[in-house]
Amino acid sequence: MASYGISYTAMSVTFTVTGLYSGQTVRFFVRLLNDNNPVVDQQYTASGSSITRTFPGLSPSTTYVANAGIVSGITTSWIGAQQFTTPNDGGGGGTTRPANWSWWSAIYAGGPVRISAGEWNAFCARINEFRAYRGLPNYWFTTVYSGNAISAEVVNQAWNAISQMSGYLPAQAASGGQITASFFNGLASALNSIS
């Protein structure tokens, strides 16, 4: 069954929808709390078990209602509405610092690393929120899908994107080598060290 989560800044919202089948059409919808006219109403076709999309154009200190649904013909089966309020941008024209990242999975030394595709894609979306906060452009990440083996090339994209903001990074992942729990925890710590 499909489900979704959202994260947001003063001026954008990021959806991550999981539990999908390749080829399903997902509808993303955002409206103001007291206005039925959509701020976002867009559809995308999933090419795997999850899809992550970020939509700009929101206003600081504003309450919105978000929803995501599966489209079949002319019918949308909504997953369920979520209300959120964007933070104040502080009056400086930038965004408020995004919330710290914590892995959804248990990642510890000696244990198996079982980061899902949706979790990794959400992490990449959070990196771009930090980049927007620091005045940097979005970084283009490879979208990963359930069943794909994670590679050094993919995880080092996150390393590169964070490296422009933080100096507390672990060593880059080596091609063909084991990607350890400490590497993933190091990426999260580096991101969370950004002030």
Side-chain angles (χ1 to χ4, degrees):
M1 174 179 282
S3 61
Y4 77 98
I6 58 171
S7 61
Y8 49 88
T9 67
M11 294 178 281
S12 70
V13 60
T14 298
F15 288 76
T16 298
V17 185
T18 58
L20 301 172
Y21 300 102
S22 183
Q24 281 187 304
T25 300
V26 180
R27 184 176 175 186
F28 299 91
F29 186 87
V30 180
R31 65 172 176 83
L32 289 166
L33 177 61
N34 297 314
D35 187 346
N36 288 326
N37 293 319
V39 176
V40 173
D41 190 358
Q42 297 192 34
Q43 298 181 19
Y44 293 91
T45 301
S47 54
S49 63
S50 66
I51 187 171
T52 298
R53 289 289 182 272
T54 299
F55 302 98
L58 305 188
S59 299
S61 302
T62 304
T63 301
Y64 295 92
V65 177
N67 211 336
I70 308 303
V71 178
S72 178
I74 60 170
T75 303
T76 301
S77 298
W78 296 107
I79 298 169
Q82 297 186 38
Q83 183 175 311
F84 67 98
T85 302
T86 53
N88 187 324
D89 73 352
T95 60
T96 301
R97 183 188 182 281
N100 280 352
W101 175 262
S102 58
W103 294 110
W104 310 342
S105 309
I107 302 175
Y108 54 92
V113 177
R114 294 198 175 103
I115 296 173
S116 68
E119 185 175 7
W120 179 256
N121 292 332
F123 178 60
C124 293
R126 182 65 55 82
I127 293 171
N128 271 335
E129 290 177 14
F130 271 95
R131 287 176 65 86
Y133 164 69
R134 293 297 296 270
L136 295 168
N138 270 3
Y139 191 94
W140 184 87
F141 294 101
T142 299
T143 301
V144 299
Y145 302 102
S146 180
N148 291 357
I150 200 155
S151 69
E153 179 186 6
V154 167
V155 298
N156 282 334
Q157 291 174 358
W159 191 99
N160 290 330
I162 297 170
S163 69
Q164 295 175 297
M165 303 179 285
S166 172
Y168 297 96
L169 285 155
Q172 281 192 305
S175 181
Q178 184 180 17
I179 306 172
T180 64
S182 64
F183 175 81
F184 290 105
N185 286 330
L187 286 182
S189 294
L191 190 67
N192 294 341
S193 75
I194 298 165
S195 59

